[in-house]
Amino acid sequence: MHDSDAPPVVSTGLRYASPVLLFLLLGFLAPLVTVVAYAFASPKSFEVFTSFTLANFSAVLDSSNTVWTSFVWSLGLAAACTIILALIAYPIAYGLNHAFGRFSSLVSVLFVFPLFISENVRLYGWVQFFIKNGVVDGLLNALGLGPGPEVLYTPGITLFGMVYVYLPFMLFPMTLGLSMVPRDLIDAAADLGAGRFMVWREVELPLAMPGILIGMLLTFVLAVGAVAEAKILGGQSVITVVHDIEIAFTYAQDWPLGAALAVLLVLIIGGLTLAVLSRLDLDRVLGRR
Amino acid sequence: MSSALNDVAKAPLPILQLVDVYKRFNEFTAVSGISLNILDGEFLTVVGPSGSGKTTLLRMLAGMEAPSDGNITLRGELINNVPAKQRPTCLVFQSLALFPHKTVGENIEFPLKVKSVPPAQRKERALELLRMLRLPESYYGKNVMKCSGGEKQRVALARAFAYDPDVLLFDEPLSALDYKLKKVLEKELKDLHRESGKTFVYITHSLEEAMVMSDRIAVMSAGKIVQIGTPESIYARPETEFVAEFFGEVNKFPLVRDPERGWFSADTDSAVTLTLPDSLQGAQAATLIVRPEYMRFASAPDEFDNVIRGSVFNEYSLGSRIQYQVRCGEKSVLIEIPRTLARDAALDQQVMIGWNAADAFVAEA
Amino acid sequence: MRTQAKIRSEFFIRSWAAFVLIAIYLPIVCSALAGLSKSRYFLFPVRQFSLDWWQRTLASLEVQTLVQNSITVALLVTLISVLLAFFGALAFARYEWKGRKLYQKLLLLPIFFPQAVLGLALLLWMNALGITPSWRTAVVAHLVWIVPVVTLVIAIQVYSYDATLEEAAIDLGAGRLFIFKEITLPLLWPGIWSGALFAFLLSWGNFPLSLYTAGADSTVPKWLYSKMVAGYTPMVPALGTMSTLSAASLLLLGGAVIAVIRRRRQK
């Protein structure tokens, strides 16, 4: 597959990758390095690259401080969100591969489309659905069934909002994963006497695992960084990590503290992502080779 | 030459019976009224070009498709809607469908695991099957995707045997292999058939495979079985032009019945002596089919029932045999003879070629 | 084989998908209703429908600036990301080179990263560089997330691209540029179009990155958020619905273009 000319010093692949790599170096890696640098700067200062202290980290880990609770909330909500979404998305991903026939591309487009609407617009729609005199409450009142349930501004509705926003991120990798299971293998397993559960456990699930794992990872990682759901639907009944980071950066004007929090978050996310990605062969997942 | 009727006399019990079976997919009819008895213990090959409906037929036997119409019975019991897992049949897929995430041993043990056979017994049986398929026992723990094409083939067979079906169904499992390996495995498969005594139903588009292995061959075209019989009978007495052409090269002469000259070939401008089958007694047109190996070089115009003149255009070596293309005016005729009879400096020689009426067959025009 | 059990499970799967789809579009419909009702605050059932708020939204100079900003950002993001991602995708899926597996994983990292944190990190970085955030910096921020997405979208097309075609063309005496123009580009068009569509629409709907990196400039989603938090008017759902509808029209249009390209090729 190499070009036939005299071998260049830099391979064609690297040459083509270099603009993207350079851009990500400046737009992704450099900001992360800055965050790390700020995390070691003196508290409440802007003396980046000039001072070095671990004070910000000890402030975060200090048990008298309540910052750690936001970590617990974020991780807990993200885990719950991932599990719920896996259960919600699996039948749909299966359907997109096997049950919707010629409608499956239309159905996929319908599931993709919400990605192109900003999440705050979609979440605000739910506010109007659940709010006093909104759709639920107004309908129940009109029917004489009394006021609607007060679900807004609770941790539960925050989780609901996350499940709602991150559905496509679970669904599409999962669909891709299930499409990697050759039809013949399922037929063969059934032909050899396996029941539906056996086929699922022995053949379908293990072969679709790369896609399912990517879906779960993506959902978890994005959900750990969720903030809009907690603010718009949750009414700050839950403070998520990113909300705390944002507060540190804006109202509190304590950039080093915010940066320290961000570094801890990035460590969790990055560690998890690299651990999962290093086990996957992306050529197989994407290219079905 | 034994006839198909003799085979029936030897093994009179059909294990699978199809009566007027149809399979339609929306507008498309894949299988169009097939009636067929598959005899217990026979090796039946269904041949046909791609799209002739043979894979659909096989999937209906396996229980992966239900017939749209007609009945399939197994030892007299209707099984139209019995799913694959409840049938004593096992399909060896064209893709082999080996589980890529399992080892050779786990693949073979799969049907035993389904039946909850204890692990120790499973392993014992798997090793036994490895030996039977001439694979080393050390392959038990091998990654199945690291096996060669022929080894995968054997693993797939071992897995099918582990299920212990009464009928093994094969969907062109050898089509992806190279020629030499294919030849070896064809014979192994036939040996395996004899050793196991099970019924084999094999589909392929390859004439050679069908000829080597089968007790009987059924030829399919456009969803129908057009002829069924022993390999010899199908080769020597094809009933239609399609079957004749499918089973090797042929010379075709379109014929018309001329009131004065009788049966007459327009291509070679000559009268033809032939034996007309009963079905074509009143016909005014027909196609005469002569296989190249029934053609001979003639030394005198009356040496054979039919003799035509032409010049040798080219020669093709087929190993132990040799083929000549002879041009008789516009018409090209192929003639195939043993190498021992090959002609020296054949190109452009003026020759006579001939054949006897008994070696040619006449099909509908 | 369609057994009874299979028919039942397909029925369950279809109903489930339909139910989830309804849930997905429910809030979007609620928003549309709020923007179309006459009252200042949303009341359900809607007493009186009117287009007042739509008209006011369309007439508002502030909204016009927002839309301009959003379109400018999205267009620039589309252009730059497709350019970068086209070559990025060839490196991802077409060429076999030493660092490829690593590159593939690095490229995914920005996608596997919460956008709000990314936005804040970019804000810090710009601050360190002494750049004042504006819609221009928002373009950069969008690109960090969108370039990898577009690269993946195009890469999927590249996987199905038969590289021996290029070798055949070289063999027939074609030059590099000629091959690129006559073979590579036409065969990858559907992927490039899908990538461009994704780029524009993802940028158009992006909120977290714009929030932190656009500085004093506002985009449609950012403005909507500020009004949701303080100063709700029915212009919020009205503009939200308009934004949704324009995204939908663009998706239909773009989808039609891709379908045309595909069909023309099959002829």
Side-chain angles (χ1 to χ4, degrees), chain A residues 1-5 11-17 19-21 23-24 26-28 30-32 34-35 38 46 48-49 87-89 91-92 94-96 98-101 107 109-126 128-129 131-139 142 164 167 169 183 196 214 217-218 221-222 224-228 231-232 242 245-246 249-250 255 259 262 265-266 269-270 273-274 277-284 286-287 289, chain C residues 5-6 9-10 12-14 16-17 20-21 23-28 30-31 33-34 42-45 84-85 87-98 100-101 103-118 120-125 127-128 139-141 143-145 147-148 151-152 155-156 158-159 163 166-167 170 176 180 197-198 201-202 204-208 211-212 221-222 224-225 227-228 232 236-237 240-241 243-245 247-249 251:
Chain A
M1 288 234 281
H2 290 288
D3 285 351
S4 53
D5 300 354
S11 63
T12 314
L14 183 58
R15 242 185 309 138
Y16 282 2
V20 173
L21 283 174
F23 177 75
L24 290 182
L26 290 175
F28 185 66
L32 289 186
T34 318
V35 172
Y38 261 108
F46 295 93
V48 68
F49 298 120
L87 296 176
I88 290 179
I92 304 174
Y94 185 87
L96 283 172
H98 300 304
F100 301 149
V107 176
V109 171
L110 287 174
F111 277 106
V112 174
F113 180 66
L115 282 179
F116 305 139
I117 309 170
S118 101
E119 60 260 43
N120 53 35
V121 172
R122 287 181 286 145
L123 291 172
Y124 204 69
W126 282 119
Q128 275 155 335
F129 186 75
I131 205 170
K132 194 167 155 52
N133 292 321
V135 175
V136 174
D137 187 46
L139 202 63
Y164 175 71
L167 173 67
F169 297 98
R183 189 72 232 185
R196 304 184 109 218
I214 292 183
L217 172 71
L218 190 56
V221 159
L222 297 182
V224 169
V227 60
K231 280 171 149 183
I232 295 172
V242 174
I245 297 174
E246 194 193 294
F249 277 126
T250 51
W255 288 23
L265 185 62
V266 169
I269 291 168
T273 305
L274 291 175
L277 285 188
S278 64
R279 281 155 198 262
L280 296 174
D281 181 359
L282 290 169
D283 284 330
R284 272 203 60 228
L286 293 166
R289 274 193 191 160
Chain C
K6 187 155 184 190
S9 76
E10 283 191 2
F12 162 75
I13 288 169
R14 290 205 183 103
W16 178 244
V20 175
L21 273 178
I24 284 177
Y25 286 94
L26 191 61
I28 296 166
C30 288
S31 233
L33 286 178
F42 182 50
L43 296 173
F44 192 86
L84 287 175
F87 293 102
L90 287 177
F92 192 100
R94 152 82 172 82
Y95 294 98
E96 200 55 59
W97 53 290
K98 220 171 132 198
R100 192 171 70 107
K101 296 270 166 193
Y103 162 72
Q104 289 180 330
K105 276 151 199 175
L106 284 177
L107 191 82
L108 286 188
L109 289 182
I111 302 177
F112 286 78
F113 203 82
Q115 290 182 42
V117 181
L118 182 60
L120 285 165
L122 277 159
L123 184 65
L124 257 61
W125 170 231
N127 184 272
V139 171
V140 177
L143 281 172
V144 176
W145 180 59
V147 165
T151 306
L152 282 187
I156 287 171
V158 176
Y159 275 117
E166 286 182 12
E167 284 162 22
I170 292 172
R176 260 166 194 278
F180 183 77
L197 199 62
F198 259 81
L201 291 170
L202 288 176
W204 174 257
N206 186 278
F207 158 65
L211 177 65
Y212 300 114
K222 190 179 165 187
L224 288 174
Y225 178 71
K227 292 288 169 187
M228 283 171 199
Y232 173 81
V236 170
T241 308
S243 159
T244 305
L245 288 177
S249 329
L251 187 66

Side-chain angles (χ1 to χ4, degrees), chain B residues 6-306:
Chain B
N6 282 340
D7 284 348
V8 176
K10 265 183 266 163
L13 289 174
I15 183 162
L16 280 162
Q17 265 186 306
L18 287 83
V19 181
D20 213 17
V21 168
Y22 282 81
K23 180 66 189 181
R24 300 182 195 90
F25 297 101
N26 299 321
E27 304 290 286
F28 176 67
T29 305
V31 168
S32 171
I34 284 188
S35 295
L36 173 67
N37 284 348
I38 297 169
L39 309 176
D40 201 354
E42 80 168 324
F43 196 134
L44 173 74
T45 302
V46 179
V47 275
S50 42
S52 58
K54 53 192 194 307
T55 300
T56 309
L57 176 69
L58 201 69
R59 288 176 65 87
M60 284 194 285
L61 294 179
M64 288 164 200
E65 306 281 356
S68 314
D69 224 328
N71 288 332
I72 302 178
T73 52
L74 178 94
R75 292 198 183 93
E77 244 175 273
L78 188 67
I79 54 162
N80 277 14
N81 293 306
V82 175
K85 65 177 168 194
Q86 286 161 20
R87 293 189 188 193
T89 59
C90 184
L91 176 61
V92 178
F93 287 73
Q94 181 164 21
S95 66
L96 303 181
L98 293 171
F99 305 125
H101 57 300
K102 292 178 182 287
T103 62
V104 168
E106 285 169 340
N107 263 283
I108 299 175
E109 285 177 10
F110 185 84
L112 305 172
K113 194 170 170 188
V114 170
K115 288 181 197 151
S116 310
V117 175
Q121 258 172 280
R122 285 197 322 234
K123 180 162 184 185
E124 198 180 318
R125 177 75 182 132
L127 292 174
E128 209 175 291
L129 286 164
L130 280 175
R131 282 195 298 274
M132 178 168 130
L133 272 305
R134 301 183 189 103
L135 285 169
E137 288 188 8
S138 60
Y139 272 42
Y140 182 82
K142 186 168 174 162
N143 178 346
V144 78
M145 297 321 276
K146 296 237 165 82
C147 292
S148 71
E151 289 162 359
K152 281 183 186 160
Q153 194 71 51
R154 294 190 172 110
V155 177
L157 274 168
R159 188 178 69 179
F161 273 101
Y163 183 60
D164 198 22
D166 296 338
V167 182
L168 273 114
L169 308 166
F170 298 88
D171 184 1
E172 308 203 29
L174 303 181
S175 59
L177 301 175
D178 65 60
Y179 184 80
K180 219 174 137 187
L181 187 57
K182 202 185 282 192
K183 291 282 128 198
V184 174
L185 287 170
E186 276 169 10
K187 288 184 182 156
E188 278 191 27
L189 209 56
K190 189 163 186 180
D191 295 348
L192 211 55
H193 172 247
R194 218 176 119 71
E195 277 167 38
S196 66
K198 292 183 188 296
T199 309
F200 280 27
V201 180
Y202 191 100
I203 67 170
T204 178
H205 60 258
S206 156
L207 155 83
E208 281 188 80
E209 267 174 52
M211 292 299 242
V212 172
M213 298 185 293
S214 327
D215 294 329
R216 286 198 304 160
I217 294 177
V219 187
M220 265 187 94
S221 165
K224 290 189 164 67
I225 289 181
V226 289
Q227 193 172 348
I228 182 163
T230 59
E232 293 76 15
S233 74
I234 288 204
Y235 187 74
R237 291 186 301 281
E239 284 162 13
T240 63
E241 197 182 324
F242 172 82
V243 175
E245 279 198 81
F246 198 79
F247 282 76
E249 286 178 295
V250 290
N251 293 300
K252 282 196 289 181
F253 300 90
L255 300 179
V256 286
R257 200 200 291 253
D258 188 273
E260 288 161 25
R261 301 165 69 182
W263 285 103
F264 170 83
S265 159
D267 285 346
T268 57
D269 191 31
S270 56
V272 172
T273 309
L274 49 75
T275 321
L276 211 58
D278 295 347
S279 58
L280 291 174
Q281 284 305 335
Q284 293 303 307
T287 304
L288 180 80
I289 297 165
V290 191
R291 291 206 184 281
E293 60 266 41
Y294 292 125
M295 292 270 190
R296 285 290 175 268
F297 286 112
S299 44
D302 56 357
E303 194 182 340
F304 298 98
D305 294 348
N306 297 285

Side-chain angles (χ1 to χ4, degrees), chain A residues 132 136-138 140-141 144-150:
Chain A
K132 194 167 155 52
V136 174
D137 187 46
L140 288 175
N141 279 331
L145 294 170
E150 299 206 356

Side-chain angles (χ1 to χ4, degrees), chain C residues 156-204:
Chain C
I156 287 171
Q157 183 85 40
V158 176
Y159 275 117
S160 63
Y161 168 78
D162 180 2
T164 55
L165 292 178
E166 286 182 12
E167 284 162 22
I170 292 172
D171 202 29
L172 295 168
R176 260 166 194 278
L177 203 68
F178 187 81
I179 292 173
F180 183 77
K181 212 178 74 200
E182 294 290 321
I183 295 168
T184 317
L185 215 50
L187 283 176
L188 296 181
W189 259 131
I192 296 171
W193 258 105
S194 316
L197 199 62
F198 259 81
F200 188 93
L201 291 170
L202 288 176
S203 168
W204 174 257

Side-chain angles (χ1 to χ4, degrees), chain C residues 28-66:
Chain C
I28 296 166
V29 173
C30 288
S31 233
L33 286 178
L36 284 170
S37 58
K38 198 168 174 60
S39 57
R40 179 84 171 75
Y41 292 98
F42 182 50
L43 296 173
F44 192 86
V46 177
R47 312 295 192 272
Q48 198 182 356
F49 287 101
S50 92
L51 284 171
D52 279 5
W53 295 107
W54 274 60
Q55 277 163 2
R56 276 196 229 186
T57 311
L58 290 171
S60 155
L61 282 177
E62 192 185 4
V63 169
Q64 281 169 21
T65 320
L66 297 173

